[in-house]
């Protein structure tokens, strides 16, 4: 593609060099630059891409998109100055890869909890409808039935457009993707055309990055502010920020609720560990999920499918066949009648939701709840005591342990969690930094009819310690202890 064609999607402040050179590729990683490519120097949170311009040129970059012009430009290199490379990179990537998001129906899912579940269920549902479908999620990306490993909730703009282009080439009609607050704020989804957007809920998370809850909320809201008029926005009317999200939204707005009047409504008729019987918009359906929060997730899926033109009866039939996403309220039963539940819950609100779901099923049946949880290192420290409070409030016994300590001392993280508890609450708590030993202890303490919640890691198959990812899978350990592996 000619450089001047690539630049039609941005507003250059200044261009030094020829704008008719051929651009063979684009990249924000100077180490991956090949001859004839454009290097985009992004000022990121960890490092400034401008530091690596000379390296990119050495490797063959013929054009550089930047914010700060060099004092001594290199010969035979075109420099394009823009106000913000972070904002420009999405538009450049979209243009270079032929606007793939305009060639399929792309739906984004944002919120604190439920993004992975909703996006993944939509992917499986639309494949059941016979449509070629793509998925971009925390757990894994899919180009129809081809798995593409995921490193981030939302890839960078270049990887994202490459992925969408491959979906288009594979004949995908739909794509469902998680949109994290980081990705929205860092403009990783810039330039994409969304057919629709879904909002799940908003609770405290990622304040290590956003600093304040208002900044976090506004990052999510930005996604809906930028939806086009011909798109749809479906928001959770049960969340106090649900209508805030769509205050300035130009798209067609729909709501879902399990508590009040809304466009899409549901209520629980029966609940068991094997699943629930629900009434959705006046029709009964059995689903293989538990918990009120999952009813909300399923309603969002239902509403999205309606907005994409599917018939209610077909949607309900598909819902009845769908299964829980890996590491989301996933039960594992022991021969002795103990149930372990593996869940990704790593925020106070998520812990509350999962424990409430467990209590809903246990209601009147007896059985203790033993919770194993920790908090991630190098992340928002303010949520640590709040998580401990939620765990203790809704559990008979709590074992505080390591999650992904990263560069922090695991015991320091546990001490931060304990700060939220009074002396009476601390009597319910045991601290075991070794996560494997913590899970083993919970299993040894449990009796027939008890439920062990193992929270925090869910689908993850590693534990990150001092920059190294060690293999660690909560599922494997529980099954090993239960003797069911």
């Amino acid at each position: 593609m000619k450089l001047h064609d690539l630049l039609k999607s941005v507003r250059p402040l200044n261009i030094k060099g020829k704008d008719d050179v051929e651009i063979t590729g684009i990249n924000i990683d100077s180490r991956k630059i090949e001859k004839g490519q454009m290097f985009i120097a992004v000022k990121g949170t960890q490092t400034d891409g401008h530091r690596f311009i000379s390296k990119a040129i050495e490797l063959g970059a013929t054009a550089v998109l930047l914010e700060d012009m060099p004092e001594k430009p290199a010969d035979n290199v075109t420099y394009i100055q823009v106000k913000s490379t972070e904002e420009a990179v999405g538009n450049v990537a979209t243009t270079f890869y032929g606007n793939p998001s305009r060639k399929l129906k792309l739906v984004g899912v944002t919120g604190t909890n439920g993004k992975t579940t909703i996006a993944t269920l939509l992917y499986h549902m639309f494949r059941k409808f016979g449509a070629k479908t793509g998925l971009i999620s925390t757990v894994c990306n899919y180009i129809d039935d081809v798995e593409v490993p995921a490193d981030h909730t939302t890839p960078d703009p270049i990887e994202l457009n490459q992925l969408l282009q491959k979906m288009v080439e594979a004949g995908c009609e739909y794509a469902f993707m998680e949109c994290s607050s980081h990705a929205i704020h860092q403009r990783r989804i810039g330039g994409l055309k969304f057919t629709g957007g879904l909002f799940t809920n908003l609770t405290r998370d990622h304040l290590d990055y956003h600093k304040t809850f208002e900044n976090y909320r506004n990052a999510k809201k930005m996604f809906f502010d930028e939806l086009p008029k011909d798109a749809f926005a479906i928001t959770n009317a049960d969340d106090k920020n649900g209508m805030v999200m769509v205050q300035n939204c130009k798209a067609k707005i729909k709501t879902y609720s399990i508590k009040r009047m809304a466009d899409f409504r549901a209520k629980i008729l029966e609940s068991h560990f094997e699943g629930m019987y629900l009434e959705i918009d006046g029709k009964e359906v059995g689903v293989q999920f538990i918990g009120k929060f999952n009813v909300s997730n399923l309603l969002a899926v239902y509403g999205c499918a309606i907005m994409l033109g599917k018939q209610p009866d077909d949607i309900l039939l598909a819902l009845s066949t769908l299964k829980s996403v890996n590491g989301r309220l996933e039960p594992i039963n022991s021969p002795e009648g103990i149930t372990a539940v593996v869940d990704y819950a790593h925020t106070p609100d998520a812990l509350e939701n999962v424990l409430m779901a467990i209590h809903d099923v246990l209601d009147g049946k007896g059985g203790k709840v033993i919770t194993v949880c920790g908090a991630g290192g190098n992340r928002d420290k303010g949520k640590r005591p709040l998580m401990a409070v939620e765990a203790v409030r809704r559990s008979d016994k709590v074992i505080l342990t390591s999650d992904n300590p990263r560069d922090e001392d695991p015991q320091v993280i546990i001490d931060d969690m304990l700060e939220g508890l009074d002396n009476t609450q601390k009597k319910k708590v045991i601290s075991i930094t070794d996560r494997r030993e913590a899970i083993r202890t919970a299993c040894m303490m449990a009796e027939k009819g008890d439920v062990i919640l193992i929270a925090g890691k869910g689908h993850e198959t590693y534990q990150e310690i001092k920059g190294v990812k060690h293999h660690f899978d909560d599922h494997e350990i529980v099954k090993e202890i239960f003797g069911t592996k």
Side-chain angles (χ1 to χ4, degrees), residues 250-302:
K250 299 182 288 292
K252 186 173 184 177
I253 298 168
K254 294 289 183 178
T255 57
Y256 65 93
S257 171
I258 61 174
K259 298 178 181 177
R260 50 180 57 87
M261 292 298 296
D263 296 297
F264 309 113
R265 298 182 65 198
K267 65 180 180 180
I268 300 172
L269 303 177
E270 288 182 37
S271 185
H272 313 276
F273 270 120
E274 294 75 26
M276 298 179 285
Y277 284 103
L278 308 178
E279 182 183 286
I280 296 180
D281 281 356
K283 296 185 178 182
E284 293 186 16
V285 61
V287 297
Q288 300 175 60
F289 298 82
I290 64 169
K292 290 179 181 177
F293 68 96
N294 266 327
V295 181
S296 290
N297 291 338
L298 293 171
L299 258 185
V301 170
Y302 175 86

Side-chain angles (χ1 to χ4, degrees), residues 439-458:
I439 295 170
R440 183 181 299 279
T441 301
C443 293
M444 295 303 103
M445 292 169 59
E447 300 174 343
K448 183 176 181 180
D450 291 349
V451 178
I452 305 164
L453 170 61
I454 303 168
K457 296 186 64 59

Side-chain angles (χ1 to χ4, degrees), residues 136-137 152-156 159-160 177-180 183 188-189:
I136 301 170
S137 83
H152 308 285
T153 304
T154 312
D156 71 53
E159 293 174 331
L160 186 51
M177 69 177 288
E178 295 182 48
C179 296
S180 69
R188 280 186 244 159
I189 58 174

Side-chain angles (χ1 to χ4, degrees), residues 81-261:
Q81 184 181 27
V82 293
K83 183 178 180 181
S84 169
T85 48
E86 187 175 75
E87 290 200 14
V89 64
N91 291 324
V92 170
T94 298
T95 301
F96 185 81
Y97 289 102
N99 292 294
S101 62
R102 295 178 180 274
K103 298 173 183 176
L104 41 68
K105 292 171 182 170
L106 177 64
V107 176
V109 186
T110 195
T112 305
N113 302 310
K115 297 186 296 295
T116 300
T117 294
I118 291 170
T120 305
L121 293 182
L122 282 164
Y123 162 77
H124 287 301
M125 175 180 280
F126 276 76
R127 292 199 73 228
K128 286 179 181 293
F129 290 150
K132 286 183 177 291
T133 307
L135 173 68
I136 301 170
S137 83
T138 303
V139 178
C140 193
N141 302 320
Y142 281 92
I143 301 171
D144 200 28
D145 60 349
V146 178
E147 181 178 332
V148 181
D151 293 324
H152 308 285
T153 304
T154 312
D156 71 53
I158 296 171
E159 293 174 331
L160 186 51
N161 277 278
Q162 285 176 331
L163 197 54
L164 290 170
Q165 183 199 38
K166 289 176 182 176
M167 290 179 188
V168 171
E169 290 172 351
C172 289
E173 184 181 352
Y174 302 91
F176 301 101
M177 69 177 288
E178 295 182 48
C179 296
S180 69
S181 58
H182 292 71
I184 299 166
H185 184 256
Q186 294 169 7
R187 311 300 296 178
R188 280 186 244 159
I189 58 174
L192 298 184
K193 168 73 163 61
F194 285 92
T195 298
L198 304 179
F199 172 70
T200 62
N201 48 64
L202 200 69
T203 59
R204 182 187 178 117
D205 202 11
H206 301 307
L207 297 198
D208 54 303
Y209 175 82
H210 294 288
K211 307 305 179 188
T212 68
F213 183 82
E214 288 72 22
N215 289 342
Y216 176 50
R217 180 189 63 200
N218 291 339
K220 300 285 189 186
K221 185 176 180 296
M222 190 190 306
F223 172 72
F224 294 95
D225 290 349
E226 296 180 356
L227 284 177
K229 285 184 179 180
D230 60 350
F232 63 82
I234 302 177
T235 191
N236 184 357
D238 293 334
D239 188 279
K240 63 182 180 181
N241 286 290
M243 299 314 295
V244 173
M245 287 294 126
V246 293
Q247 278 177 346
N248 306 110
C249 183
K250 299 182 288 292
K252 186 173 184 177
I253 298 168
K254 294 289 183 178
T255 57
Y256 65 93
S257 171
I258 61 174
K259 298 178 181 177
R260 50 180 57 87
M261 292 298 296

Side-chain angles (χ1 to χ4, degrees), residues 368-387:
K368 300 188 301 294
V369 177
I370 303 169
T371 296
V372 179
C373 67
N378 304 110
R379 298 293 185 268
D380 176 18
K381 294 183 179 182
K383 72 180 181 181
R384 293 173 185 176
L386 302 178
M387 290 177 68

